[in-house]
Amino acid sequence: MFGLTRHLQKRRRTVQLTGEIIASTKADEASVDAVVNQPELYSGVQARSAAKQRSRAAVESGQARFGFSPFALAGAAMIVLMAIAATVLWRKDRSQPQSNSAAIEQSQTEQQVEQLASFGNGSDKAEKPRRKNRRPAIRRAEIVSDFMPLTYLAESTEVESGLVVRVRVLRSMLVRMGLPINAEITEETVLADVALGDDGLARAIRFVN
Amino acid sequence: MKTRSLMKLAAAAIIPLFFVATPRAQNPTAQFLSGEMRFGDKIVKGAPFSAEAISEHTQTLSDGSRLTSRSTARIHRNSEGFNYRDQEFNPLGLLAAPGDATSAANMRVIFISDPVARVYYRINPKFRVAFKIPFEDLPPAPGTGANPAAVTESLGKKMIEGIEAEGTRSVITIPVGRLGNDRPLEIVSERWLSPELQIVVESKHSDPRMGENTYRLTNIKRREPDASLFTVPSGYRVQEDRNRFNSGGASPRSRKPGN
């Protein structure tokens, strides 16, 4: 008897809880309906959808216009960059002087300034303030020959003052000047200091190693 | 579509390579790197002037064609013996590429000598840098070697650009066979020196092997130049530059400024 009563009480409690759950579910559905029926929600979804469509169209039109996918474009750019890098290395290896206009341009670049600055350091580097920490070691590396006269001058008529200029010169040019240079390697260049009188006359040359 | 894309990709990669890998047709004989330092300058006080210097080099080739190059400089000196020289190199005479008057690079360097502080400034106007060099670090004037005997004669005096100048002419003869020459070669030099200003006003040097070189001062003005010319312009970085010419090149006739 006591067990039956207990069972009935349990069942009643279950029914009551079920009713509460159903009631709460109905309340949620109502609030969801309220949210869904808001006009802002619809316009938001519509805007998102439109944006997605636009981005897809942009990608498709890009492909149609250039015939490349973004991956292909990235690959092409990478190859071009590699080609440029290879060219820079290739030109660096070449020790010949550049064409005249190119030489002018090059001498005006910051790189040339860097090269000129390290005169006295064994490399044909150009004029720019040098870094202190590199200076002593580099300077010791330069070896210069004595000046060799390029022409005959009488003391009574020579222009005594002038300046020293540093040049990179083809060996063939030195052969033409009458200097004893190995004619088989005339296409190579050498670094040299040329003493020019104020009259513009090249008086003497020395070589820099 | 895929094949077409691949072909375009390959073309994009190969075409730039073609352009950059083409060797340059020009092969000039010399490339100017820098104007380094002056030599042989004297300190002359009490004779200020300003002038423009023009030097020209002409060489006639065996086929009759002529190579000509021209360089200019603006020079100033004040009463205290400060010197200013704004030099353009274009091109370097013999170092010019055959047939190409623009072969040596156009370069400009300014030199200022300060006999009071006994320093030189080598100024690179493009990069706004002035290198400061003590007089004792200057290179000696390079010698001209053992020359055959020169025959010298006086040419008297004449006025050049309003300045009196004394002329001297020397002829050096290279005898037959010395250079493999089948007849004597004559190297003729003329120099017109102003005793008052202690400068060469005009000169001419003719060597059958190398051509003719002429030099002259024009627009000579005997007045005190602007003092600002003899100082490093503001905004330029001044940097010490020592011991650059201490090795090699010494000559028994070497002379440094002030000596």
Side-chain angles (χ1 to χ4, degrees), chain A residues 67 100 116 129 150 153 199, chain B residues 5 33 100 147 210 213 237 239:
Chain A
N100 304 328
L116 285 169
L150 293 171
L153 289 169
D199 55 356
Chain B
S5 296
L33 293 179
D100 185 353
N147 292 340
M210 297 177 178
N213 213 87
R237 192 149 69 89
Q239 181 169 325

Side-chain angles (χ1 to χ4, degrees), chain B residues 149-153 169-173:
Chain B
V151 177
T152 303
E153 63 173 319
R169 184 172 190 262
S170 69
V171 180
I172 293 173
T173 304

